Each structure stands twice: as structure tokens, then as C-alpha cells.
Amino acid sequence: MAWLIALAAIGARFIAITQPFIDNWSWRESDVAAIARNFFENGFHFAYPQIDWAGNAAGYVGTEFPILPFMVALIYKFSGAHEWIGRLETILFFAASLPIFYLLVRRIFRESVALWALFFFSLAPLNIVASRAFIPDVPSLFFSLAALYFFLRWLEDDDRWSWLIASIALSLAILTKATSAILGLPLLYLCCQRFGTSFVRQTRLWIFAAIALLPAAIWYWHARQIAKHNYPYHFFGAGGFEIMSLTWYAGIFWRVVTRSLTPLLSLLALGGVFILPRDKFGRVFHCWFGAMLAFVFFLGYGNRHPWYQLPLVPIVAVFAAVLCCEIAKRIEPRLVKGVFIAAVVILFADLAFVYARTSYRPASSDLYDVALRLREITPADSRIVAADGGDPTLFYYAHRKGWHFLEKNGIWQGPPLDSAVAIADLEKLRDRGATHLALPFRTRWWLDYYSEFAAYLKQNAEPMEVTSRFAIYRLTRSRKTNETAQ
């Protein structure tokens, strides 16, 4: 049964595997894809990941340990750059997480709980979307689950190889996604259950912590230096530590219990969280859940991104599985029990399909359209000013470097207050080497709303292609250049 669930889950991820990175998470995927392509084209300088929205600068940024894009870049040497390669790599990490998660739950509880948990874990909409997206969160979750499983094996069996694998897995989890450090709380719980308060005197635990944390500390210090000294001075995830309003958290809560998990899974998990297991290590998922609640609260602004809540999926899956097993155990006769199981399976699978499919929609198709046209009609060394809403999808598919518009240190600053602000920002970017301006459908209205800006473009730019879908201009020499020439 576990194999059937796993094969069905993996097969579902291959739907639309060749889809361009234009879905709801396009901007995150396009950044990772750009880093992979820049590794491939500019040399495999692992410690210096590059993005495309730094204009005429190199575009070095501080990121998590770039295992995912670097591995994809290596494959590009043999296959060329294709979206399905990045998506496939994430699917493979998801596939590897399935047996680890199943064995972890079965070791703590029993096989029936593990089967239910595997089913919920595999089909939770958030996991479906994340595990086919080119982002590092799924690899990080795989390493987190592996760290938990092998750490538990070491505590119970005193297996030195499990200890080593767990320490390396935890290190890779934190390197791949710094937020995986919250796994420290469930690991601390396991230590207390095994050693009591004497865990602080366990030398192997201190060595374990050193292996897990020192590489991450070194890497993120290096990444911070990269962001500090290189335009656009950007460190991925910076600014996420911010406590927000109750309305903000209510929005996150509603998204999680509906689109991310489905209402059914959320309700089942709510019931399961209050069933306190008697197993020695049975409350490890409660500790992980508590760590996630604190994480969402203190990184309130960062949790505007749905993938930040991905570690909730295995936690909630276990809570729901515990409740389903308790209910099934009390149902007689067998026919009624079978009806209950079938009803939960069919209803959850249907809800998962309904909520997950919304994330497949081409939300950034307008950026994709104008990007392909830019690639056709502009030279390869062009520098594009893109009114793209801060989504780098345009730069990735245009295969051009450039700036978001409006921008400050490479970061999109929103639409202009008036024409004067737009003109000033465009002048600044022209002085820095911008050659073209692109307005996709989402900002095509600027030409009607900012009349003075439109008039400025008539005098200082050449329209290359202006349609109802987008507008592309070639920028003439800047005022400063003209004055110098005169």
C-alpha cells in the first residue's frame, strides 16, 4: 500500500512538468533558474550565485547553499537548459522523502498511522505544488526528515552510522534553508526523552551540533559578505523577521487551512493534535509544531510566501493520521469502516486536486510573452528596464540582464507616485547603461495613466513594438550623455 501511494504521488508530479516557470511561484523559481543558468554559462563558481536583475553588475547575491541550482547546472552541460530538469530534481527529492517519512512515522507509532500519514503528506496541495517547483524548500524538508529519522535510530539503536548520517543531514537541511534550524526543538525533545537532563554531558551530542551548525554558520557568513559588497546588496530571506498584525496572521492561517492543506486535512489534524500518544518519542511532532508556530509568528513578514509553511505538511499529516486510526479502530462492522476510509480518501484526493490546480495557472504569462519578444528583437548585451512588479521571470526568459522599474538597490519599489518619479528613475538607469524599456500587460496602463511619462517616452525613446499586450522601447542617449556631447 505504501508503494502504491508513493508511485501515485510521484506520478502526479509529472503533470505539466515541462511548464515554463510562469505559475504562481514564478518569481522564486525564475531566480533559482537564473542562478543555475549563470553557473552553466559563467563558470561553476559555487560560492558566487548570480541573478539577472542587477543591470550591468555581476549580480552576486547572498543565498542559501545553492545545491539545487548547481546540480541542475551540471546537467545542463549535457542537456542544455530546460525547465523540466529543475522540476524533475525537486520531484526526486520529494520521492526520496517518502520512504524516510514513512519509516519515521512507523518507528514512532505503527504501520497504520504511517500509511495514513504518507497518504496525507503525498497529496497535501502545498506539497504537490512545492515538490514540482524549482525551489530549495523540498530538498531542505527531505534533509530535515532524514535528520529526524536517523537521529531517532541512533538514540534507540546506538548506531554510529545513523548518528553520522543524521548530523550531515541536519547540516544540509540548514544549509539548504536556514529556517530548518527550527528542527532543533524536536531534536532537543528526543534527547531529553533518551538521556533526561544529563543530555548536556553527552559528548556525541556536542559533536553532532558542531557538524550540523558550523558549516551553515560559515556559509551564511560568506553569503552575508557577498550581499554586503556586491550590488544589488541582496541577501535572500532578509527582512523576513518582522512581527505583523493580527489581520496578517489571520490571512496566513486561512491560506494554510484551505489552499495549503485543505479544510478536511486541517480539521482531522485539529482533532489529532489533542490525542497525546503514549509512545516514548510520540510527541516529537508536537514539538515540531510548536517550533513552527513560533517561526510563523516571529518571521511574520517572511511567511507571506506559502512555501515557508512546507514543514507543516508532515506534522499535520501525522496528526490527521493519528485521528483517522483512532476513529477506524472504533468503527464496527468492517463494511462501515471501509466506507469511512474510502470516504476520507476520495474526499481528500478531490479537495487536493481542486486546491492544487490553481497554482498551475500561468499567472506570469504576460511576462513570458514580452520576454520572448525581447529575446527576438534585442541584442544579447542589452540592458532591460522592466516594469515587471518585481518578478524576474521576464529577465530569465528574455535571457537579458536588467533592472526592475522602479528600483532601489535592485529591489522593486512599486509603481511610481507620478510621472516625475518615473522619469527620474528611468533617467538614472539610462545613465547606468539601460538600453530598453519593457512594459508587460500588468503595467501597460502606465502609458495611459502617467501622461507626462508617456510624452517623455515619445521624445526620448523609440517604440520597437507597442501592442495592447505590451510595450517595448529602445532608449536613446540620456540627457547627461547628450549634454556631454554638446
Side-chain angles (χ1 to χ4, degrees), residues 112-169:
S112 58
V113 176
L115 283 172
W116 275 110
L118 185 68
F119 172 68
F120 291 132
F121 175 77
S122 299
L123 292 187
L126 178 58
N127 205 9
I128 292 176
V129 177
S131 56
R132 62 177 294 278
F134 192 20
I135 58 175
D137 298 74
V138 171
S140 180
L141 182 59
F142 160 71
F143 290 126
S144 296
L145 292 170
L148 268 178
Y149 171 66
F150 285 103
F151 190 78
L152 184 59
R153 278 189 54 171
W154 168 62
L155 292 179
E156 292 190 323
D157 303 337
D158 197 25
D159 177 14
R160 66 181 63 183
W161 285 109
S162 294
W163 173 86
L164 180 62
I165 294 172
S167 60
I168 295 173

Side-chain angles (χ1 to χ4, degrees), residues 286-306:
H286 288 78
C287 292
W288 199 359
F289 183 59
M292 277 299 300
L293 291 179
F295 166 72
V296 172
F297 178 74
F298 288 107
L299 274 80
Y301 186 66
N303 274 275
R304 68 193 186 278
H305 304 311

Side-chain angles (χ1 to χ4, degrees), residues 14 17 32 36 66-73 75 83-96 131-135 138-139:
F14 280 87
I17 192 175
V32 179
I67 298 174
L68 192 70
F70 192 82
M71 291 172 61
V72 166
I75 299 174
E83 290 91 342
W84 65 266
I85 297 174
R87 294 192 188 278
L88 177 61
E89 186 180 28
T90 312
I91 293 172
L92 292 177
F93 274 105
F94 164 74
S131 56
R132 62 177 294 278
F134 192 20
I135 58 175
V138 171

